């Protein structure tokens, strides 16, 4: 998984007055949980651009001005209801030997037979919730839809991995190929049906002669 470094300043004053002053100065107050102590820090709002305004997921190295570096992941973020400015961010510290839970973006690969025949690809999930060691988690999870016909579904069992645990029931539908007005029958199915009918007729012919 990709990692970003955010240069930040540890803050001692955490009251409302100090927090308001930080925001007025273009800084975002943040907190890191999960370690031996809770760490309060602040960084310029622009420092979070590549972390917040992207569909990708990252681990984060918080480089504090006292020389300390903390590995973390974004846990929660608060925006201003009118301006959409970042008001506050919570991080969770991560460790090499402790699994973490997070949502990983999902992407399809391949050209679905059903879509080529006029079907429509519909998503039920765009992100997959997983649990595992940070070093084992991917930037995104891919699912091959090449062989999906109209009416077929891609489920959690189709993307299972030994590197992490997926926290959705096995039968959860990720995406499916739905029919449409322009959809046509699958050519391979037509050929198979035609072959089956021919075999049936061939089997019936001797009985008629007898």
């Amino acid at each position: 998984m990709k990692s970003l470094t955010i240069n930040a300043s540890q803050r001692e004053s955490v009251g409302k007055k100090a927090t308001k002053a930080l925001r007025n100065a273009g800084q975002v107050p943040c907190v890191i949980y999960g370690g031996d102590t809770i760490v309060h820090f602040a960084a310029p709002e622009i420092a979070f651009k590549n972390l917040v305004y992207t569909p990708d997921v990252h681990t984060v190295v918080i480089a504090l001005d006292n020389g300390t570096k903390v590995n973390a992941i974004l846990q929660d973020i608060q925006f201003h209801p009118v301006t959409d400015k970042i008001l506050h961010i919570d991080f969770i510290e991560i460790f090499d030997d402790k699994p973490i839970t997070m949502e990983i973006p999902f992407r399809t690969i391949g050209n679905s037979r059903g879509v080529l025949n006029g079907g429509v690809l519909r998503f039920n999930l765009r992100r997959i919730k997983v649990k595992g060691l940070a070093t084992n988690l991917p930037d995104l999870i891919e699912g091959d839809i090449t062989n999906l016909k109209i009416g077929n579904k891609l489920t959690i069992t189709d993307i299972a991995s030994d590197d992490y645990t997926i926290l959705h029931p096995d039968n959860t539908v990720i995406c499916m190929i739905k029919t449409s007005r322009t959809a046509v029958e699958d050519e391979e199915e037509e050929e198979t049906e035609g072959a089956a009918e021919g075999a049936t007729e061939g089997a019936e012919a001797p009985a008629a002669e007898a």
Side-chain angles (χ1 to χ4, degrees), residues 10 31-40:
Q10 190 164 1
V31 179
I32 305 175
Y33 299 99
D36 295 331
T37 59
I38 296 176
V39 179
H40 298 268

Side-chain angles (χ1 to χ4, degrees), residues 114-125:
V115 171
L116 293 175
N117 286 327
V120 179
L121 176 63
R122 294 288 171 83
F123 285 88
N124 286 352
L125 291 177

Side-chain angles (χ1 to χ4, degrees), residues 22-136:
L22 280 173
R23 290 177 180 142
N24 290 339
Q27 300 278 313
V28 177
C30 305
V31 179
I32 305 175
Y33 299 99
D36 295 331
T37 59
I38 296 176
V39 179
H40 298 268
F41 71 93
E45 185 172 8
I46 194 171
F48 302 100
K49 176 183 176 182
N50 294 329
L51 175 65
V52 176
Y53 303 107
T54 174
D56 300 330
V57 294
H58 301 83
T59 57
V60 184
V61 178
I62 308 296
L64 300 173
D65 53 359
N66 62 4
T68 302
K69 291 185 177 181
V70 182
N71 294 315
I73 58 169
L74 191 153
Q75 177 72 11
D76 188 41
I77 184 167
Q78 297 175 20
F79 294 94
H80 190 283
V82 177
T83 65
D84 278 340
K85 290 179 67 67
I86 301 174
L87 296 179
H88 189 273
I89 301 179
D90 289 341
F91 290 88
I92 295 291
E93 186 172 357
I94 59 177
F95 303 89
D96 292 339
D97 59 344
K98 292 183 179 180
I100 59 175
T101 298
M102 64 188 310
E103 292 186 339
I104 307 293
F106 173 79
R107 181 180 71 185
T108 60
I109 56 174
N111 296 314
S112 163
R113 286 172 54 186
V115 171
L116 293 175
N117 286 327
V120 179
L121 176 63
R122 294 288 171 83
F123 285 88
N124 286 352
L125 291 177
R126 292 282 187 174
R127 301 174 78 85
I128 308 297
K129 192 173 185 179
V130 304
K131 183 177 183 179
L133 298 178
T135 53
N136 290 340

Side-chain angles (χ1 to χ4, degrees), residues 174-196:
I174 302 171
C175 61
M176 68 179 298
I177 311 299
K178 301 198 73 173
T179 190
S180 68
R181 294 180 179 178
T182 60
V184 297
E185 290 186 33
D186 192 290
E187 293 181 359
E188 185 176 295
E189 289 182 350
E190 291 178 351
E191 293 174 0
T192 302
E193 289 173 1

